[in-house]
């Protein structure tokens, strides 16, 4: 009786349907292609082209179409998590997705200073490498063919790339808030029909300060996932040797 109760208390995780798997593979593959193209654009802009090219067009003007499409398409991940198509936590996924969407839509697209912030290439570089690895891992994981080096990259590169990306994001916010401070852009003051007030400048600072409590939690969450997937120390190494024998 007790054995049956224990068994029923751990229901097997439901596998997505064949149609859902095709959709998820297609979505992740498209994102890998999109972010690979953005990474190519970064390399081409800074390394393959000369100063004359960069004088004619800004990085944002060069990459904006691809960045707007593929970064904002990440909103689909929240829906995938919410509907149980993937095992990700929808709350954690929501924080990660909205922070980047805010940088693209609410900072870079919204202000001229955000477009020329030195944080933009830093953020795009970190995002591109992270997303190529992450979406590639997801696509391979669906068909259950994930090379160990891909798993290692997925749960190791974030250690450097996550802080680098956040640094780039905050630099974009910093350049945007300087513009918002001097210009009443995207703000509403009373009196008005809505009988409400909104300060874009204050909003930017609220979001920036929000990184202080949220970033460490997300960063530590990734370390917890890394320990869960990769293990650590000599115990993990010995376990691998036992499996090999």
């Amino acid at each position: 009786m007790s054995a049956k109760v224990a068994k029923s208390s751990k229901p097997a995780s439901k596998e997505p349907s064949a149609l859902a798997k095709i959709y998820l593979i297609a979505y992740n593959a498209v994102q890998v292609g999109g972010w690979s193209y953005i990474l190519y654009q970064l390399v081409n802009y800074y390394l393959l082209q000369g100063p004359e090219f960069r004088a004619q067009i800004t990085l944002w003007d060069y990459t904006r179409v691809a960045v707007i499409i593929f970064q904002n398409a990440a909103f689909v991940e929240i829906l995938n998590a919410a509907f149980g198509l993937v095992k990700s936590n929808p709350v954690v996924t929501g924080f990660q997705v909205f922070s980047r969407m805010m940088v693209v839509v609410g900072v870079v697209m919204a202000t001229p200073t955000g477009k020329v912030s030195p944080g933009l290439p830093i953020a795009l570089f970190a995002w591109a490498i992270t997303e190529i690895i992450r979406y590639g891992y997801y696509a391979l994981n669906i068909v259950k063919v994930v090379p160990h080096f891909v798993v290692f990259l997925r749960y190791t590169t974030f250690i450097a790339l996550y802080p680098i990306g956040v640094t780039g994001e905050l630099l974009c916010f910093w350049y945007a808030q300087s513009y918002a401070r001097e210009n009443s852009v995207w703000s509403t003051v009373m009196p008005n029909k809505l009988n409400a007030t909104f300060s874009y400048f204050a909003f930017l600072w609220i979001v920036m300060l929000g990184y202080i409590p949220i970033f460490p939690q997300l960063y530590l969450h990734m370390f917890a996932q890394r320990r869960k997937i990769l293990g650590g120390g000599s115990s993990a190494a010995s376990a691998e040797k036992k499996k090999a024998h």
Side-chain angles (χ1 to χ4, degrees):
M1 183 71 176
S2 60
K4 289 183 179 180
V5 172
K7 187 175 181 180
S8 62
S9 64
K10 294 181 179 180
S13 57
K14 185 179 179 182
E15 281 284 320
S17 66
L19 185 61
K21 286 184 178 180
I22 293 173
Y23 154 71
L24 290 172
I25 291 172
Y27 170 77
N28 288 304
V30 168
Q31 285 284 38
V32 169
W35 283 103
S36 296
Y37 176 64
I38 292 171
L39 182 59
Y40 160 75
Q41 286 185 307
L42 282 169
V43 172
N44 185 52
Y45 187 83
Y46 285 108
L47 300 180
L48 303 182
Q49 299 294 335
E52 298 83 5
F53 177 81
R54 291 187 291 274
Q56 295 174 1
I57 187 171
T58 65
L59 175 65
W60 174 246
D61 287 334
Y62 185 58
T63 61
R64 64 179 177 182
V65 174
V67 173
I68 291 171
I69 292 174
F70 293 104
Q71 183 55 72
N72 290 334
F75 179 78
V76 174
E77 293 181 47
I78 303 175
L79 301 178
N80 291 342
F83 288 113
L85 294 178
V86 296
K87 297 178 182 179
S88 302
N89 185 315
V91 176
V92 174
T93 303
F95 276 122
Q96 294 172 329
V97 170
F98 277 123
S99 66
R100 293 186 180 182
M101 289 180 65
M102 176 63 193
V103 173
V104 173
V105 179
V107 172
V108 178
M109 294 177 64
T111 64
T113 49
K115 293 177 176 63
V116 297
S117 167
L120 181 60
I122 296 173
L124 291 182
F125 173 77
W127 292 355
I129 296 179
T130 298
E131 300 299 50
I132 292 169
I133 295 171
R134 186 169 70 93
Y135 286 116
Y137 169 82
Y138 287 160
L140 293 171
N141 195 43
I142 294 170
V143 296
K144 303 186 184 306
V145 182
V146 188
H148 179 71
F149 81 92
V150 175
V151 179
F152 179 80
L153 290 175
R154 168 73 180 103
Y155 291 100
T156 303
T157 54
F158 80 90
I159 296 173
L161 292 176
Y162 206 166
I164 290 173
V166 167
T167 300
E169 293 171 22
L170 289 174
L171 280 172
C172 290
F173 273 101
W174 179 259
Y175 273 68
Q177 66 82 33
S178 66
Y179 177 80
R181 183 182 63 244
E182 300 170 359
N183 302 270
S184 58
V185 62
W186 309 115
S187 299
T188 302
V189 295
M190 295 177 64
N192 54 61
K193 294 181 180 179
L194 298 176
N195 197 31
T197 183
F198 173 77
S199 171
Y200 176 64
F201 171 72
F203 175 71
L204 289 176
W205 270 100
I206 291 171
V207 176
M208 288 172 66
L209 294 175
Y211 274 71
I212 297 174
I214 294 175
F215 167 70
Q217 295 183 47
L218 296 179
Y219 198 44
L220 292 176
H221 171 76
M222 287 301 300
F223 273 103
Q225 291 295 104
R226 186 179 194 275
R227 288 192 296 269
K228 180 180 177 182
I229 301 299
L230 296 180
S234 58
S235 60
S238 61
E240 288 295 325
K241 288 182 179 179
K242 290 180 180 179
K243 289 180 180 179
H245 293 289

